[in-house]
Amino acid sequence: MLSSPRTSDTGVAAAAALGAAAGTTIGTTVGSGLGSGLGSRRRVPVAVQAPDPISREGAVSQLRGRPEVEVREEVSAAAGTVALLIEDTLDEAALARLRRIVRSEGARAVLVVGTIRETELLDVIECGVGAIVWRREATAHRLVQAVLAAHRGDGDLPADLLGRLISQVGTLHRGAAGRPGAPSLGLAPREVDVLRLVAEGLDTGEIASKLSYSERTVKNVMHGLTTRLHLRNRAHAVAYALREGYI
């Protein structure tokens, strides 16, 4: 990541993401006082979304009957519903669903996932998701713990993911600091337009149609900015734009 006129803000978003994660529960080591964040013991509404009925019913059965939560059918930001999303992996469709729930619908979210790549981790955190649970660790207690953390606006990451997040952000910042003579380059308006649509989950063809570009133009824009700013891929480019305040 190269420096830009907004570099002074770069650490703010990353520090906020790390602070939300590092200052709260890690894995299953904390959470004995599950009801402590509920004040008057109001039950937290939670809606489970999964790619298949077996996964959804499994999570619902674990949550049903727990005094801390109330299972709902639909997400409602006005009602303070926490969305619990279950995914095996984070493909473009899964990331689009996550962004829609957090950004468009304004709900807090817990992500239950089987695997997650480092290139996706920062993207998920900057999307606004601070609570992540491994599917292999998704017991009733662990799910409730994460739901309550999300409801409070806290972070809750497995210890291994927290370590990877710290390492990834550190690498990005060291990379920027290691180029003292690098030119101060920001993003052009056309690049911002493309990245904003990438962040919304659109593919190359949809972006081209939305902006009245050819698909070749969209690919050239992405190639140009990732090459110029030493970004690894689309997710990295979106994370950069988010950190720098462009989108």
Side-chain angles (χ1 to χ4, degrees):
M1 178 179 66
L2 297 181
S3 301
S4 77
R6 309 180 189 211
T7 300
S8 60
D9 298 327
T10 302
V12 177
L18 287 172
T24 54
T25 56
I26 300 175
T28 57
T29 59
V30 181
S32 56
L34 289 178
S36 61
L38 298 181
S40 60
R41 290 281 185 176
R42 182 177 66 86
R43 301 174 73 188
V44 175
V46 55
V48 178
Q49 298 191 10
D52 61 87
I54 292 179
S55 295
R56 183 183 184 281
E57 288 305 313
V60 167
S61 67
Q62 287 185 309
L63 295 173
R64 188 180 289 121
R66 293 294 299 236
E68 305 93 343
V69 301
E70 177 186 355
V71 178
R72 299 280 183 87
E73 290 298 319
E74 297 182 355
V75 175
S76 170
T81 308
V82 174
L84 191 148
L85 289 85
I86 303 173
E87 302 287 351
D88 285 319
T89 58
L90 286 177
D91 56 15
E92 286 295 327
L95 285 171
R97 287 192 293 272
L98 199 58
R99 294 187 188 102
R100 185 190 71 249
I101 288 174
V102 176
R103 295 180 180 176
S104 300
E105 300 181 14
R108 300 190 186 279
V110 173
L111 175 63
V112 181
V113 68
T115 60
I116 184 170
R117 296 190 297 263
E118 289 188 6
T119 53
E120 299 163 339
L121 178 57
L122 196 57
D123 197 34
V124 169
I125 296 298
E126 290 186 330
C127 179
V129 178
I132 302 175
V133 178
W134 291 124
R135 288 193 66 153
R136 61 181 179 274
E137 298 176 355
T139 62
H141 174 85
R142 186 72 185 89
L143 291 178
V144 170
Q145 178 185 358
V147 166
L148 297 185
H151 177 72
R152 294 190 301 267
D154 294 339
D156 186 351
L157 300 182
D160 56 338
L161 276 187
L162 179 59
R164 285 163 59 184
L165 179 63
I166 293 173
S167 175
Q168 186 177 4
V169 173
T171 298
L172 292 174
H173 283 266
R174 285 193 299 273
R179 294 189 291 272
S184 178
L185 297 176
L187 296 180
R190 183 167 67 168
E191 294 172 334
V192 174
D193 290 340
V194 170
L195 283 177
R196 185 175 290 114
L197 295 178
V198 171
E200 292 175 5
L202 277 65
D203 61 26
T204 300
E206 292 170 328
I207 293 172
S209 175
K210 201 89 168 177
L211 298 177
S212 298
Y213 294 161
S214 68
E215 291 192 20
R216 179 180 292 274
T217 296
V218 174
K219 291 177 181 178
N220 287 341
V221 169
M222 287 300 303
H223 177 74
L225 73 91
T226 53
T227 301
R228 187 178 80 256
L229 300 177
H230 302 279
L231 304 171
R232 292 186 295 275
N233 49 39
R234 288 161 64 110
H236 193 185
V238 170
Y240 171 86
L242 285 167
R243 279 193 302 273
E244 296 298 313
Y246 287 101
I247 60 177

